[in-house]
Amino acid sequence: MSSTEDIQCRIIELEVEHRDLDAVIEACMNDLRHDELQLRRLKKRKLQLKDHITLLKMQLVPDVPA
């Protein structure tokens, strides 16, 4: 993944998945019978997505000499 367009498309895909996970987590928390382990896994995946999005966004910013 080297071109700017590819990176931007991947960021959009990950942001959509991140929002979807947010909705799933909220629905899970509202369910009285929710599974704590599953909820932790969903939250961990959401954080991983956020980190990946951040790394991809950093690739789009050109290096500036200090």
Side-chain angles (χ1 to χ4, degrees):
M1 221 186 268
S2 59
S3 78
T4 303
E5 295 87 19
D6 291 339
I7 294 172
Q8 289 173 338
C9 285
R10 184 67 180 141
I11 289 171
I12 292 170
E13 291 170 357
L14 292 174
E15 287 174 340
V16 167
E17 186 177 349
H18 188 268
R19 279 192 301 268
D20 290 347
L21 267 178
D22 206 20
V24 170
I25 289 169
E26 185 176 335
C28 187
M29 288 175 32
N30 290 335
D31 183 7
L32 297 176
R33 305 168 296 148
H34 70 271
D35 180 9
E36 284 295 323
L37 180 60
Q38 181 67 20
L39 188 58
R40 275 188 268 147
R41 287 179 178 159
L42 291 170
K43 288 181 177 182
K44 183 176 180 179
R45 174 67 181 148
K46 186 178 168 190
L47 287 173
Q48 289 172 335
L49 287 171
K50 183 178 179 183
D51 290 344
H52 196 174
I53 291 167
T54 301
L55 290 173
L56 288 173
K57 285 183 177 181
M58 286 173 32
Q59 289 180 10
L60 294 177
V61 178
D63 288 336
V64 179

